[in-house]
Amino acid sequence: MAWVHETIEILLYLRENQTDTLHRFWYYLMKKEGINMIFLFLIAAVVLLDLGLKDTIDEMDQEQFPKELEGSRGWILLYRNHNEGFPFGALKEKQELVKMIPLAVVSAAAGILCWILPRKGQIVEKIGLSMVIGGGLSNLYDRLFRGYVVDYFSIQWKKLKDVVFNLGDIFVFAGSLILLLWELFCKK
């Protein structure tokens, strides 16, 4: 329960120092926990942002979709899709498998991050894993509590026109790509 104490301590600190709160909060985290708090913050930011967008989209009427994302000049269309399976609806009839595989993957990624987090360096691996975990947790939440993943945008370019994503998917893909490229080309 140490994390509860830490959270209360952070909230008390924020309440006492309301001027320039974000700067003080950031300084507090860095001083107290060091650079590793950035990775935990990244995970939380991805999860909260994606779930917030999913809730906003899910509350809108289906008849409003698809529609162009304002300011995208037609490059991004918004949708409200409920995907009960893996990408493209694969295995939607096997709901337990669709829940357990992402749970295992996110758990493995979190375990690896916990293993390397105390080590100095390995920043690229920590960023990649944090992105994968954040995106994966958001989609896992959907699978466990909604019974489907909310997908809400499509990039209108070549074959991507046929695919509807969410922000969690983008972070899982980008984090995986970072890890793969690092392993293939940069790791010594």
Side-chain angles (χ1 to χ4, degrees):
M1 289 301 228
W3 66 273
V4 173
H5 177 72
E6 295 277 327
T7 304
I8 291 169
E9 194 175 319
I10 289 169
L11 292 174
L12 289 173
Y13 177 84
L14 288 174
R15 190 179 75 191
E16 293 170 6
N17 300 287
Q18 292 180 359
T19 56
D20 199 17
T21 302
L22 186 58
H23 178 264
R24 290 177 184 270
F25 179 60
W26 190 255
Y27 175 77
Y28 175 82
L29 288 178
M30 294 303 290
K31 181 178 157 202
K32 181 138 180 71
E33 300 296 334
I35 190 88
N36 290 335
M37 286 305 294
I38 293 172
F39 306 111
L40 301 178
F41 180 76
L42 174 60
I43 292 168
V46 170
V47 170
L48 293 174
L49 180 61
D50 191 37
L51 288 177
L53 289 169
K54 288 173 179 178
D55 284 343
T56 301
I57 292 289
D58 225 17
E59 290 172 358
M60 300 171 85
D61 288 331
Q62 182 66 35
E63 290 78 35
Q64 295 179 356
F65 299 100
K67 67 180 181 179
E68 183 180 321
L69 177 65
E70 190 176 320
S72 72
R73 294 188 236 170
W75 282 93
I76 299 175
L77 290 183
L78 295 177
Y79 290 85
R80 189 181 116 189
N81 288 1
H82 294 167
N83 186 356
E84 296 177 3
F86 286 129
F88 308 107
L91 296 177
K92 66 181 174 183
E93 65 281 348
K94 305 224 185 243
Q95 283 298 298
E96 285 306 308
L97 191 61
V98 168
K99 291 175 184 175
M100 291 304 119
I101 290 175
L103 178 61
V105 170
V106 169
S107 297
I112 294 168
L113 182 62
C114 287
W115 180 53
I116 68 170
L117 213 49
R119 300 178 182 179
K120 290 188 184 236
Q122 294 185 281
I123 301 297
V124 174
E125 291 97 327
K126 291 174 184 177
I127 290 171
L129 284 167
S130 297
M131 292 170 70
V132 169
I133 293 166
L137 277 176
S138 176
N139 286 337
L140 182 61
Y141 176 90
D142 275 3
R143 291 182 199 290
L144 295 176
F145 295 102
R146 295 180 203 229
Y148 54 83
V149 173
V150 178
D151 292 324
Y152 50 85
F153 73 91
S154 178
I155 300 169
Q156 299 303 295
W157 184 67
K158 297 188 179 186
K159 297 256 185 203
L160 288 177
K161 288 181 182 182
D162 300 329
V163 183
V164 182
F165 304 95
N166 61 49
L167 195 60
D169 297 334
I170 298 299
F171 273 90
V172 168
F173 177 77
S176 299
L177 186 62
I178 287 169
L179 291 168
L180 177 67
L181 293 175
W182 180 256
E183 283 294 319
L184 290 176
F185 301 112
C186 300
K187 194 171 181 181
K188 295 177 183 176

